[in-house]
Amino acid sequence: EIVLTQSPGTLSLSPGERATLSCRASQSVNSNYLAWYQQIPGQAPRLLIYATSSRATGIPDRFSGSGSGTDFTLTISRLEPEDFVVYYCQQYGSSPLTFGGGTKVEIK
Amino acid sequence: EVQLVESGGVVIQPGGSLRLSCAASGFIFDDYTMYWVRQAPGKGLEWVSFISWDGGSTYYADSVKGRFTISRDNIKNSLYLQMDSLRTEDTALYYCAKAIEFYDFWSASDYWGQGTLVTVSS
């Protein structure tokens, strides 16, 4: 099983700042099949990024993904008020599919 | 518009059985792999199971293997999760989700339902 470790657990930033979220895998992710989801409290997850760096439909270009192998990053270039929620990474290249523990982005 | 609507969640005693359903609309259901993902109260996301577009291949998390069975009815555009031998640790909000790419076994999920709550408690 591929274990995904997200860091930091909580990221305290101000609106307009750049956010860098990390997702580290315990072994290489097949075909770089790594996705990022955003979850607003009380709502279902929303797909932001898939295949490491492809933005899902309707996702603003301030969200970008990068990485390969075992190290992946979600970058939010300029934080908007609605971005202060929880983010999860997921690998879907092998079974069992796994999620990271999440990073909460909070207002500083 | 893609819609996924889960149903079937209830309060149930340990050891009991339950079947969750997910009604899909707005896309060609039998072109896509479908997923069940759960989230325990206040916790993160946990993948449970997925089934290929034709129902020919299924995968399960170790935590549910042998107790849960995923299936689909491509005529009724519906996804199911049969849950047997339920445990208190199965308490969670259960989401169904759709693969982003058609005919793709390994895929991220671009649409999610709002979830149905299963509570296992005596």
Side-chain angles (χ1 to χ4, degrees):
Chain A
E1 171 177 330
I2 297 178
V3 176
L4 299 180
T5 302
Q6 289 188 243
S7 61
T10 303
L11 190 55
S12 299
L13 294 168
S14 300
E17 288 194 297
R18 181 184 188 90
T20 303
L21 286 66
S22 174
C23 178
R24 180 161 291 177
S26 60
Q27 55 189 281
S28 186
V29 175
N30 288 348
S31 303
N32 291 328
Y33 280 169
L34 193 287
W36 292 92
Y37 298 86
Q38 177 192 67
Q39 190 174 33
I40 298 168
Q43 294 190 18
R46 173 195 184 195
L47 178 66
L48 300 175
I49 302 287
Y50 64 100
T52 298
S53 59
S54 296
R55 260 189 307 276
T57 302
I59 301 304
D61 61 7
R62 66 179 183 274
F63 292 93
S64 63
S66 63
S68 67
T70 60
D71 288 296
F72 299 88
T73 300
L74 174 69
T75 301
I76 310 171
S77 59
R78 295 173 310 280
L79 284 164
E80 298 287 341
E82 61 269 26
D83 298 337
F84 291 88
V85 291
V86 179
Y87 296 84
Y88 295 95
C89 60
Q90 179 204 30
Q91 72 79 22
Y92 54 94
S94 60
S95 184
L97 280 61
T98 49
F99 289 91
T103 290
K104 180 181 180 181
V105 179
E106 66 174 23
I107 298 177
K108 188 175 182 180
Chain B
E1 178 193 2
V2 172
Q3 286 199 331
L4 298 170
V5 180
E6 302 94 336
S7 61
V10 292
V11 178
I12 190 166
Q13 292 190 336
S17 295
L18 192 59
R19 188 174 88 152
L20 304 183
S21 300
C22 172
S25 61
F27 65 101
I28 302 173
F29 183 69
D30 56 6
D31 280 355
Y32 293 88
T33 292
M34 296 293 295
Y35 304 83
W36 286 103
V37 176
R38 68 184 180 184
Q39 187 168 34
K43 302 297 184 182
L45 300 169
E46 180 188 15
W47 167 74
V48 173
S49 181
F50 71 87
I51 186 167
S52 60
W53 54 92
D54 61 355
S57 297
T58 58
Y59 281 83
Y60 299 92
D62 285 347
S63 58
V64 307
K65 198 174 295 182
R67 300 188 299 122
F68 290 9
T69 303
I70 191 171
S71 62
R72 64 191 296 161
D73 184 331
N74 285 348
I75 303 298
K76 295 183 177 179
N77 287 351
S78 293
L79 175 71
Y80 305 102
L81 187 67
Q82 177 67 39
M83 310 165 69
D84 298 320
S85 303
L86 282 161
R87 305 168 179 169
T88 55
E89 55 264 37
D90 296 319
T91 294
L93 187 63
Y94 284 74
Y95 295 104
C96 72
K98 164 193 167 291
I100 190 171
E101 309 275 5
F102 61 86
Y103 297 148
D104 197 348
F105 202 60
W106 307 103
S107 178
S109 299
D110 61 344
Y111 285 92
W112 298 59
Q114 286 305 302
T116 187
L117 183 61
V118 175
T119 303
V120 185
S121 174
S122 54

